[in-house]
Amino acid sequence: MGKAENRLSYNEVRARMALPYEVKIRMTENRLREFIGYYGEDGVVVSFSGGLDSTFALAFVRERYPNVLAVSVTGIECIQNIMLIKKTPNVKVISPRYSQKEIVKKFGYPVVNKRASKWLKALQNPSEKNKNIRNLALTGITSEGREANSYKLAKKWRFLINAPFKISNQCCYYMKETPLENWCKKNKYASIVATTTEESKARMDGYCKRGSCNSFEGTGDSVPFSFWTKQDILRYIVEHDIEISEAYGEIKQDKDGKYYTTGADRTGCPVCMFGMDKDGSPNRFQRLYYEDNRRWQQVIFDWGYKEVLDFFIENGFTNYQYYPQEVLEQMAAGGGKEVE
C-alpha cells in the first residue's frame, strides 16, 4: 500500500478509465517498462488463468517482453480455460496447499458474493473479535457510528445465517491468491496481475489505496491494466488476433460498435456460487452438467454442493436448480429418481 498522499480518488481513477485507448496502451507500456526494468524480464511472472483479462495481459506483456514466464493455478478454472493454458508455451502450473474440496469443507462454501460470504462467516461464528463486523452486517453502522448501508447484509440472504453448512469467502484466497503469492515469494519473482477496477467496487477501492500500478514492496507486484475497461480489452484482443478460451465463443461488434462475446461473458471457477442469483437459464451448474459432467457429479455429490443448492431452493431460490430443466422433466416422468 502506498503512502496516504499518493492514494487516488474515485474521480481520478474514473478519469484514467475514460482516457483514449491509445493513451492507455502507452501508459501501460510505461508501467511495464518501469516494473520489468527493475526486476528484469526473467524476474517477473504474469498470473494466467485462461480468462479474457489474463489472456490479454499475457499477450500484451509478451509482445514486448517475449520471455516472461506465466504462472497458473488450474484447479478452479473451467475446462475450456484449462485447454488454453495447456497449449500456451512457457506456463508454470502451480498447486494450492489444499484441494478445492478440502477448502469448502474446512472453511466454508462461497455463496452470494465475496462480501456477503465474509459477513455470513462472522455471523455463523460469533465472537468478541468479530462483533464489529457482525454489527455492520446486520445494521449497516460502522464501529465509529457512521451509516454504511452498502455494507449491510441484504435481508433476503439472512436465512443463510442458520444454514446447515459453513459459509466463507476464503476459497479464492486459498485456491488462487495464496498459491501465487507463496510461489513468487519462494522463487523470488515479482508478479503482474490483470486486475481491472471496472470489475468491482472492491477492486476500485484496492487500486485507490495502492495509489499506483506498481508496488516494489515485498516481492513486488504490478496491476498495469487497472484502468482498462472490458471494451478496451476486447478491442485489443481483436486487433492483435489473440487466441482466447473457447468458452467465450467469438468476439463481435453490435450495430453501435460495442464489442461482445458470443459465448460466456465471464469464466473462472465453474463451481463458485458468487453471483449465481443473477444467472440466466440455464445457470452455471445446469451448463456444467453437459460441459463437464464428471466435475458436476463430483461437486454436487462428493463436495456437498447438493445440500447447499437444495437449501437455496427450499428457501425460494428456484433458479439455484442444478439439474438441467429437461433432465428434471425426465426425472419427474421416471418417478423422480436422481441418477448419480
Side-chain angles (χ1 to χ4, degrees):
M1 186 182 293
K3 295 181 180 179
E5 61 266 25
N6 294 326
R7 292 175 182 172
L8 300 169
S9 68
Y10 286 172
N11 286 338
E12 287 174 314
V13 177
R14 292 189 185 106
R16 290 186 183 185
M17 292 170 67
L19 288 169
Y21 171 77
E22 294 77 12
V23 173
K24 292 180 182 178
I25 291 176
R26 292 196 296 272
M27 287 174 65
T28 296
E29 287 176 333
N30 288 338
R31 282 150 175 76
L32 288 171
R33 189 179 301 114
E34 177 189 37
F35 192 72
I36 297 177
Y38 184 83
Y39 290 104
E41 192 169 342
D42 59 353
V44 300
V45 294
V46 177
S47 177
F48 179 47
S49 69
L52 271 181
D53 292 355
S54 69
T55 299
F56 146 74
L58 182 59
F60 189 102
V61 173
R62 284 187 172 171
E63 284 169 6
R64 294 152 179 86
Y65 305 92
N67 298 317
V68 167
L69 177 68
V71 171
S72 182
V73 185
T74 58
I76 60 172
E77 302 304 331
C78 67
I79 193 168
Q80 297 94 333
N81 287 12
I82 292 173
M83 289 170 60
L84 179 63
I85 291 167
K86 286 182 175 179
K87 68 192 295 188
T88 302
N90 200 19
V91 177
K92 172 70 176 177
V93 175
I94 59 177
S95 300
R97 177 182 177 185
Y98 303 107
S99 70
Q100 197 167 12
K101 176 183 176 180
E102 288 174 325
I103 290 168
V104 295
K105 293 286 189 179
K106 182 180 178 69
F107 300 105
Y109 294 87
V111 300
V112 185
N113 58 53
K114 189 169 284 190
R115 179 180 292 166
S117 287
K118 181 179 180 179
W119 286 180
L120 287 163
K121 177 179 174 64
L123 291 164
Q124 285 186 332
N125 302 277
S127 68
E128 184 64 22
K129 187 177 179 180
N130 64 26
K131 67 177 183 180
N132 289 336
I133 290 179
R134 288 185 287 114
N135 183 66
L136 177 61
L138 294 175
T139 68
I141 304 298
T142 69
S143 57
E144 294 83 21
R146 290 185 295 104
E147 190 174 283
N149 284 324
S150 63
Y151 286 86
K152 185 165 35 172
L153 180 66
K155 289 183 179 179
K156 69 177 182 177
W157 302 124
R158 297 194 182 189
F159 74 95
L160 290 164
I161 297 171
N162 298 312
F165 49 83
K166 296 178 185 177
I167 293 171
S168 170
N169 65 328
Q170 293 173 286
C171 187
C172 200
Y173 173 76
Y174 284 105
M175 285 297 297
K176 196 167 187 176
E177 298 169 21
T178 300
L180 175 64
E181 182 181 325
N182 290 344
W183 187 90
C184 287
K185 186 176 181 179
K186 178 181 178 181
N187 295 281
K188 296 181 171 54
Y189 278 93
S191 60
I192 299 170
V193 183
T195 302
T196 62
T197 57
E198 189 181 54
E199 289 182 20
S200 67
K201 184 178 182 300
R203 295 286 173 87
M204 172 73 84
D205 289 342
Y207 187 54
C208 289
K209 289 176 181 178
R210 286 176 66 99
S212 64
C213 293
N214 295 337
S215 171
F216 300 95
E217 297 179 4
T219 56
D221 67 275
S222 178
V223 287
F225 307 98
S226 290
F227 43 83
W228 285 62
T229 65
K230 183 174 181 179
Q231 285 299 298
D232 297 326
I233 290 170
L234 291 175
R235 175 180 171 181
Y236 192 94
I237 290 171
V238 169
E239 291 182 353
H240 291 254
D241 194 26
I242 298 167
E243 182 179 3
I244 61 174
S245 166
E246 292 181 2
Y248 295 101
E250 299 178 84
I251 299 175
K252 295 189 175 182
Q253 287 179 283
D254 62 20
K255 61 181 181 180
D256 298 317
K258 185 177 180 180
Y259 291 97
Y260 66 95
T261 53
T262 59
D265 184 54
R266 297 176 64 89
T267 61
C269 179
V271 300
C272 179
M273 289 172 279
F274 287 167
M276 189 173 170
D277 57 303
K278 297 179 177 63
D279 278 8
S281 181
N283 65 37
R284 64 196 67 183
F285 288 100
Q286 292 173 320
R287 293 194 302 271
L288 186 66
Y289 181 91
Y290 290 116
E291 293 172 0
D292 191 350
N293 190 264
R294 180 174 176 275
R295 194 170 193 174
W296 182 91
Q297 296 275 353
Q298 184 181 59
V299 299
I300 296 299
F301 299 112
D302 187 35
W303 295 12
Y305 273 65
K306 183 181 186 301
E307 179 185 24
V308 177
L309 295 169
D310 280 344
F311 191 72
F312 275 93
I313 294 168
E314 289 162 8
N315 282 276
F317 291 86
T318 54
N319 60 320
Y320 276 63
Q321 180 55 249
Y322 41 94
Y323 281 104
Q325 186 58 38
E326 58 272 23
V327 175
L328 284 172
E329 292 170 1
Q330 292 170 8
M331 287 166 55
K337 180 176 175 57
E338 295 180 353
V339 181
E340 298 188 23

